[in-house]
Amino acid sequence: MKITVVSENSPAYFAGIDVGDTVLAINGHKINDVLDYKFYVATKKVKITLQDRTVKIKKEVYEDLGIEFETYLMDEKKNCHNKCIFCFIDQLPKDLRDTLYFKDDDARLSFLQGNYITLTNLTDSDVDRIIEMKLSVNVSVHTTNPQLRCKMMNNKFAGEKLEYLYSIARANIPVNCQIVLCKDWNDGAELFNSLRDLTFYKSIESIAVVPVGMTKFRESLQQIEPFDKKDAETVIECCSKFDRVYPADEFFLLAEKEIPKDEYYKDYPQYENGVGMLRYLEEEVKNRDILPFETDFSIATGVAAYDTVSRLSLDIQKRFGVKITVFKIKNNFFGERITVAGLLTAQDIIEQLQGRLQYKNLLLPSVMFNFDGLTLDDKNKSDIEKALNVEVKISEFILE
């Protein structure tokens, strides 16, 4: 646990801790990773055992020490042990960024960043630590049928690992769950049974039911049929029988049903999963008093959100006296079954908007970009601006 940064005027700085020092223990506890570190420094008195000395620090309970380490996790990432029939990473084309092919399944990142985990690479001691530290996690369940879970995830241990979820839930640790729904696999009666089993636990705060995403790169993978309107209606009806269960926006669009009202989503616990994003967008537009541009502009969004964004743009034009053109971007990169804006690439934006833009301002949805400002095809805002000769702004104004 080598220290790489000591912030000026921080508790660590005043205690004489230096870059290059190595942390061995905190308050007598060995530090294995970032969770140990954050857990044991959450106290007023901290005794840090370094490689050549011991340092004592007094601070506020949740005050940061002001040090950073070589890696964020202070350990290697834990990868996925499954071969799920619906895995999106297995459907990626070649020659994308290396990081896009890493299958993360790390409980620590679930707590720290909200990632979803399958529990299949955890041990009894890992679960004991989750319970001891009261770490809220997000779990990809898919089905509570043990045999079906093994089959869908191609992991013979996937069924028995459901007991970890139930142990965490019985310990009253808050959990959010998701079910990636595959037609003729875990829908119908299987979905009903899974939702019944999960909603039994009050500590499972929300369950997202999302349709499998299928790219055009599935040639050698398990065949899965897409959902149709009738299927979507059935899914919504099944979910409505349970509390804390939220179908993804795609199901409402496919069923041609109105997106539920704001109160339905409460505090939007499954927002990052594409659940309630369109309703959130509607509420944001309703309460918006400024625009990203002072003059006329264009908006690019995915097929799924196009109708909603077009309708909302009419309201904005009336209220603010600006002109807005909304463009529907088809996902040629992954295939037209992928309709959400979060999976649009820069090359599709550029190819489909070349020579069509009336205005010099273009608004793009933030979900297209990662934390480094890169699209899935490794382009950034400047690349799009140069290709289209426009000013680009990235905003959560377009959320889906």
Side-chain angles (χ1 to χ4, degrees), residues 29 304 349 368 375:
H29 299 281
I349 295 287
M368 275 185 58
T375 59

Side-chain angles (χ1 to χ4, degrees), residues 235-288:
V235 170
I236 293 170
E237 175 64 21
C238 180
C239 293
S240 70
K241 299 179 185 300
F242 300 93
D243 186 33
R244 295 167 281 144
V245 177
Y246 302 93
D249 290 6
E250 293 100 310
F251 282 121
F252 288 100
L253 294 174
L254 186 57
E256 299 178 7
K257 290 182 176 291
E258 183 181 358
I259 299 293
K261 301 300 182 183
D262 182 56
E263 54 269 20
Y264 171 83
Y265 295 103
K266 300 174 183 176
D267 58 350
Y268 291 83
Q270 293 282 353
Y271 169 82
E272 296 295 341
N273 236 338
V275 175
M277 281 187 168
L278 288 177
R279 175 54 59 192
Y280 192 93
L281 171 61
E282 296 235 18
E283 295 302 311
E284 181 180 282
V285 170
K286 185 192 306 181
N287 297 308
R288 175 170 289 271

Side-chain angles (χ1 to χ4, degrees), residues 107-117 136-139 272:
R108 298 165 299 183
L109 290 175
S110 183
F111 170 68
L112 295 168
Q113 297 181 355
N115 299 14
Y116 274 83
I117 57 172
S136 175
V137 291
N138 298 332
V139 179
E272 296 295 341

